[in-house]
């Protein structure tokens, strides 16, 4: 009998295994893959991650990011670079492997290549069935098996259709051959209700596009159009692509606790819905859940303290980000025109990314800016409704 089983060992699962094992619990972590494993991801982590772990994550950081070069449909380039960092670019195989190694060092028992196939909560304990007729049992199960995982879907009824869809490619390039000066490349307007990006790493450019699953239309065509038109990708072959879902937070998502099972990261749809930032929130929610599980095992609190913490510390920001994404992605051309005229807006948004400005305060301020242009909003709305999908905005 373990104190906790952690199913899935991406950033959420490895962080949970780390914090629980470090606090002295008997922890088993399982993942269907063998690490290091590839994960389709932009791999940009906001600086909010600073100080979340008490070990050094810098060996996995390939680029420090100070801002972005924005475009609208691959044109009208606009550099908005800050003096202070907003994020770090990592390759997920290296970053996730580093977190997993830390969980192991902290004392978690880890089994790779072990797929969870069933979960049974008897009330007194949770029994987890693994592929190959093996099983294990714990007082608590941490569900961290990701966007398409079985635990969120089957046990909690979380709906993958509320997710965003994405296409990504890793384009080989040598860091020393180009100077990207610590910036991301972000394009608005290239896809309905979403955006495209190029995130530079040492050996690769991570290229991707993501948009609301219900509104994206033919996302592969949008990806191809972006990859063939963006200046940074000129002369480069995008190569093989992968498709994935980004389980962004949605209104009405069920509680991430049921009986003795607790959901963290993507499994609980705990991804910020404006940019689709999920790595930091995977680690953050895992840390929050771990401290609640410690209290629970110690008889000091119930597991329902976890959703209460999320409600206090995370979800208000996600709800504002949802409103912001409606505003920006419904009116991308208007939005782009506004940031072109007033780049301070993005500099202020960088503080939301850094975690020093509330998203709700930023949203109210940005909404006032948009409201001050009612005729442009109306024109943009008419175009969005009546134009072909690729002309949205
Ligand atoms: C295209 C794309 C780009 C993105 N870009 C960014 C970005 O730039 N920045 C950012 O912050 N976020 C980004 N995200 C979101 C980010 O990738 C996720 O939020 C993050 O990976 C969540 O971590 P996690 O540990 O919850 O899930 P995951 O990283 O998905 O880990 C889940 C783990 O569970 C394992 N697993 C699955 N099923 C089972 C099973 N049945 N049994 C055992 N193990 C199982 C998997 O092998 C995997 O290792 C992006 C997402 C996508 C799709």
């Amino acid at each position: 009998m373990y104190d906790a089983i952690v199913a899935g060992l991406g950033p959420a699962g490895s962080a949970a295994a780390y914090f629980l094992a470090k606090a002295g619990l008997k922890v088993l972590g399982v993942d269907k893959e063998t690490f290091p494993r590839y994960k389709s991801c932009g791999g940009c982590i906001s600086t909010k991650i600073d100080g979340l772990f008490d070990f050094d994550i810098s060996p996995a950081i390939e680029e420090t990011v100070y801002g972005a070069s924005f475009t609208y449909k691959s044109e009208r380039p606009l550099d908005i670079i800050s003096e202070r960092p907003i994020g770090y670019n990592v390759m997920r195989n290296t970053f996730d492997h580093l977190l997993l190694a830390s969980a192991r060092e902290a004392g978690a028992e880890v089994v790779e290549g072990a797929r969870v196939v069933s979960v049974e909560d008897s009330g007194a304990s949770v029994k987890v069935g693994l592929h190959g007729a093996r099983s294990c049992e714990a007082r608590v199960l941490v569900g961290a098996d990701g966007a398409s995982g079985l635990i969120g879907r089957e046990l909690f009824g979380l709906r993958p259709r509320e997710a965003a869809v994405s296409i990504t490619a890793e384009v080989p390039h040598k860091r020393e051959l180009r100077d990207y000066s610590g910036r991301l490349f972000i394009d608005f307007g290239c896809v309905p209700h979403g955006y495209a990006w190029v995130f530079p790493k040492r050996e690769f450019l991570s290229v991707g596009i993501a948009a609301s699953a219900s509104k994206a239309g033919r996302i592969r065509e949008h990806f191809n159009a972006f990859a063939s038109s963006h200046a940074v990708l000129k002369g480069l072959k995008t190569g093989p692509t992968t498709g994935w879902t980004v389980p962004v937070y949605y209104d009405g998502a069920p509680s991430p606790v049921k009986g003795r099972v607790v959901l963290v990261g993507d499994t609980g749809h705990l991804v910020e819905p404006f940019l689709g930032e999920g790595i930091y929130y995977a680690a953050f929610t895992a840390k929050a859940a771990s401290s609640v599980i410690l209290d629970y095992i110690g008889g000091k609190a119930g597991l329902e303290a976890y959703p209460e913490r999320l409600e206090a510390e995370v979800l208000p920001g996600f709800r504002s980000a949802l409103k912001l994404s409606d505003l920006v992605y419904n009116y991308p051309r208007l939005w782009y025109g506004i940031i072109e005229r007033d780049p301070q807006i993005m500099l202020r948004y960088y503080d939301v990314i850094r975690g020093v400005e509330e998203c709700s305060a930023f949203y109210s301020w940005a909404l006032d800016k948009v409201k001050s242009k009612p005729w442009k909003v109306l024109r943009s709305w008419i175009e969005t409704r009546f134009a072909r999908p690729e002309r949205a905005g």
Side-chain angles (χ1 to χ4, degrees):
M1 174 73 92
Y2 292 91
D3 291 317
I5 294 172
V6 181
L9 295 168
S14 283
Y18 172 78
F19 288 116
L20 292 169
K22 192 166 173 259
L25 296 197
K26 190 177 176 207
V27 179
L28 171 68
V30 296
D31 198 291
K32 66 183 173 60
E33 302 289 339
T34 303
F35 286 72
R37 56 98 175 87
Y38 177 74
K39 162 78 175 75
S40 170
C41 187
C44 183
I45 310 175
S46 66
T47 52
K48 292 193 284 296
I49 199 86
D50 290 340
L52 192 105
F53 294 110
D54 55 3
F55 56 85
D56 185 15
I57 58 163
S58 66
I61 294 174
E62 304 212 346
E63 293 281 334
T64 299
V65 174
Y66 291 82
S69 289
F70 296 95
T71 43
Y72 179 75
K73 296 188 177 182
S74 292
E75 290 172 6
R76 296 160 58 182
L78 172 66
D79 292 353
I80 305 180
I81 311 296
S82 165
E83 285 172 358
R84 287 169 299 131
I86 58 169
Y88 309 111
N89 286 351
V90 301
M91 288 303 290
R92 286 291 302 275
N93 50 357
T94 314
F95 179 73
D96 289 17
H97 200 203
L98 183 148
L99 296 193
L100 181 57
S102 303
R104 267 200 172 103
E105 273 166 34
E109 186 182 331
V110 171
V111 183
E112 299 176 52
R115 179 188 288 274
V116 172
V117 292
S118 66
V119 173
E120 202 185 310
D121 185 348
S122 68
S125 68
V126 194
K127 199 169 173 186
V128 176
L130 301 175
H131 182 72
R134 290 171 291 167
S135 69
C136 40
E137 200 170 346
R139 298 171 72 183
V140 176
L141 170 65
V142 179
D145 52 345
S148 52
L150 147 147
I151 300 172
R153 205 179 52 240
E154 293 193 4
L155 234 59
F156 287 73
L158 279 147
R159 290 169 291 170
R161 74 167 180 276
E162 301 285 356
V165 286
S166 65
I167 303 264
T168 51
E170 309 295 344
V171 179
H173 92 128
K174 285 256 177 272
R175 180 72 186 83
E176 54 276 20
L177 295 182
R178 288 155 192 265
D179 178 19
Y180 296 118
S181 322
R183 70 188 60 192
L184 309 172
F185 297 87
I186 293 182
D187 187 84
F188 291 109
C190 55
V191 60
H193 218 92
Y195 70 100
W197 67 85
V198 180
F199 291 173
K201 316 284 171 68
R202 265 187 228 123
E203 300 287 327
F204 297 96
L205 297 174
S206 296
V207 182
I209 193 165
S212 157
S214 58
K215 298 175 186 152
R218 293 185 293 269
I219 190 147
R220 185 167 290 281
E221 285 177 25
H222 296 301
F223 176 85
N224 290 342
F226 169 71
S228 60
S229 63
H230 196 281
V232 161
L233 299 171
K234 281 268 150 60
L236 297 174
K237 278 206 162 53
T238 33
T241 56
T242 48
W244 205 258
T245 47
V246 189
V248 287
Y249 173 78
Y250 62 94
D251 270 334
S255 163
V257 171
K258 198 175 203 180
R260 291 172 174 267
V261 185
V262 176
L263 303 186
V264 291
D266 275 19
T267 315
H269 275 241
L270 293 166
V271 177
E272 187 271 355
F274 175 50
L275 292 179
E277 178 185 2
I279 303 170
Y280 164 75
Y281 291 103
F284 179 87
T285 56
K287 189 173 184 181
S290 302
S291 86
V292 169
I293 290 168
L294 281 170
D295 283 349
Y296 174 71
I297 301 265
K300 293 191 213 144
L303 291 175
E304 65 283 353
Y306 171 56
E308 285 163 15
R309 266 199 75 177
L310 294 187
E311 194 51 61
E313 296 171 41
V314 178
L315 301 187
F318 280 8
R319 288 187 196 107
S320 298
L322 261 182
K323 291 198 268 180
L324 187 61
S325 67
D326 276 346
L327 182 74
V328 171
Y329 300 134
N330 282 328
Y331 308 109
R333 191 166 74 181
L334 174 70
W335 169 253
Y336 202 76
I338 288 174
I339 62 169
E340 269 179 328
R341 275 192 296 281
D342 188 357
Q344 282 298 326
I345 293 180
M346 278 318 293
L347 287 172
R348 186 160 169 179
Y349 184 71
Y350 290 170
D351 277 343
V352 178
I353 295 176
R354 292 185 185 106
V356 297
E357 159 91 305
E358 293 292 335
C359 190
S360 56
F362 175 81
Y363 171 74
S364 307
W365 180 73
L367 185 64
D368 284 346
K369 292 256 177 205
V370 174
K371 276 191 192 154
S372 68
K373 319 268 186 264
W375 290 110
K376 289 194 171 188
V377 172
L378 183 63
R379 193 181 67 194
S380 198
W381 181 83
I382 290 169
E383 283 178 3
T384 308
R385 288 294 145 117
F386 300 109
R388 290 197 305 274
E390 66 271 21
R391 298 266 315 140

